Amino acid sequence: DAGVIQSPRHEVTEMGQEVTLRCKPISGHNSLFWYRQTMMRGLELLIYFNNNVPIDDSGMPEDRFSAKMPNASFSTLKIQPSEPRDSAVYFCASSLRTGGNEKLFFGSGTQLSVL
Amino acid sequence: QQQVKQSPQSLIVQKGGISIINCAYENTAFDYFPWYQQFPGKGPALLIAIRPDVSEKKEGRFTISFNKSAKQFSLHIMDSQPGDSATYFCAALTAGNKLTFGGGTRVLVKP
């Protein structure tokens, strides 16, 4: 298995532009997570899905952020409009939920720079 | 509110030495405590994990010690190697299956 695949690896955009980050989870996994990593705030959970359904989006910073999971093999995180403070590494992770042993498999992340 | 507090933020250890990273939590609903290892440019990867009904778990050179009454747990890296240089995150899982991470510890092992 290729693991969790994220694209793009790097994204540089200007303030006000729309940004879409993409994730392909590991085949067979039923949970998907979006995390944001910054020096100041560490790893923050933004949203997670179980069986393609959003379960908890309390970590989504504001309405400019949205996430979708149209099927078991694809998810997107969209920022519209983007702002410089959104600059961070965004990770997608997936897991096979088996009663509490939550082993997350992370992708390599998308480095987002908003100028 | 930081639910899992991790220390130190960074540490330097000589090759062959012991690296010790500590974490503390407040939420007694946490019932699963994993440690993740992250190399530059990569996502975190699960290293070792423990449940609160066990006081210690060892896998190779990595050991988790867990003190339920003190609500603290730690990672010990024995015989530290330069290849262990990475950022380590403790984490805690609630019954709602939300994994909360500590702030991370950057470990540098000098040859």
Side-chain angles (χ1 to χ4, degrees):
Chain A
D1 198 322
V4 176
I5 300 173
Q6 291 186 245
S7 64
R9 284 300 310 273
H10 303 275
E11 177 79 36
V12 180
T13 190
E14 293 187 347
M15 182 174 63
Q17 296 299 305
E18 177 180 296
V19 175
T20 299
L21 311 182
R22 298 172 175 80
C23 176
K24 176 179 170 54
I26 292 173
S27 177
H29 281 188
N30 57 7
S31 296
L32 184 139
F33 306 79
W34 283 100
Y35 280 87
R36 177 171 67 178
Q37 186 175 36
T38 61
M39 289 294 293
M40 290 295 295
R41 301 176 68 90
L43 272 164
E44 301 175 277
L45 177 63
L46 300 178
I47 184 171
Y48 80 93
F49 296 82
N50 193 38
N51 294 321
N52 311 337
V53 176
I55 302 300
D56 187 336
D57 65 354
S58 60
M60 296 287 262
E62 47 198 274
D63 292 345
R64 297 184 297 107
F65 286 68
S66 62
K68 294 182 179 180
M69 192 166 186
N71 57 62
S73 59
F74 184 66
S75 177
T76 60
L77 178 67
K78 184 177 293 186
I79 308 172
Q80 166 63 17
S82 58
E83 296 183 2
R85 59 193 169 118
D86 301 330
S87 297
V89 181
Y90 291 81
F91 287 103
C92 174
S94 70
S95 72
L96 177 61
R97 181 157 295 167
T98 55
N101 288 341
E102 196 74 62
K103 180 176 181 178
L104 268 61
F105 292 81
F106 282 80
S108 294
T110 295
Q111 174 78 59
L112 174 64
S113 298
V114 183
L115 307 177
Chain B
Q1 181 183 4
Q2 188 179 7
Q3 296 194 53
V4 181
K5 295 183 178 181
Q6 184 172 346
S7 63
Q9 286 187 314
S10 63
L11 69 92
I12 300 173
V13 63
Q14 292 294 130
K15 178 182 176 181
I18 302 174
S19 303
I20 302 175
I21 306 170
N22 300 299
C23 285
Y25 64 97
E26 296 184 358
N27 187 349
T28 56
F30 290 141
D31 60 3
Y32 177 67
F33 300 88
W35 285 87
Y36 280 76
Q37 179 188 54
Q38 184 180 28
F39 293 105
K42 301 292 186 181
L46 180 66
L47 184 64
I48 186 174
I50 197 169
R51 290 200 169 277
D53 55 348
V54 176
S55 62
E56 185 175 283
K57 183 174 182 180
K58 183 177 180 179
E59 289 185 2
R61 296 183 293 106
F62 300 90
T63 299
I64 300 178
S65 298
F66 190 87
N67 186 329
K68 187 175 181 178
S69 61
K71 292 187 283 187
Q72 295 176 346
F73 58 110
S74 60
L75 176 70
H76 294 227
I77 307 175
M78 313 299 287
D79 187 26
S80 297
Q81 300 296 312
D84 297 331
S85 297
T87 300
Y88 293 82
F89 294 92
C90 62
L93 183 72
T94 65
N97 285 313
K98 287 178 63 172
L99 198 60
T100 300
F101 285 89
T105 297
R106 184 172 295 182
V107 175
L108 175 63
V109 181
K110 288 193 169 182

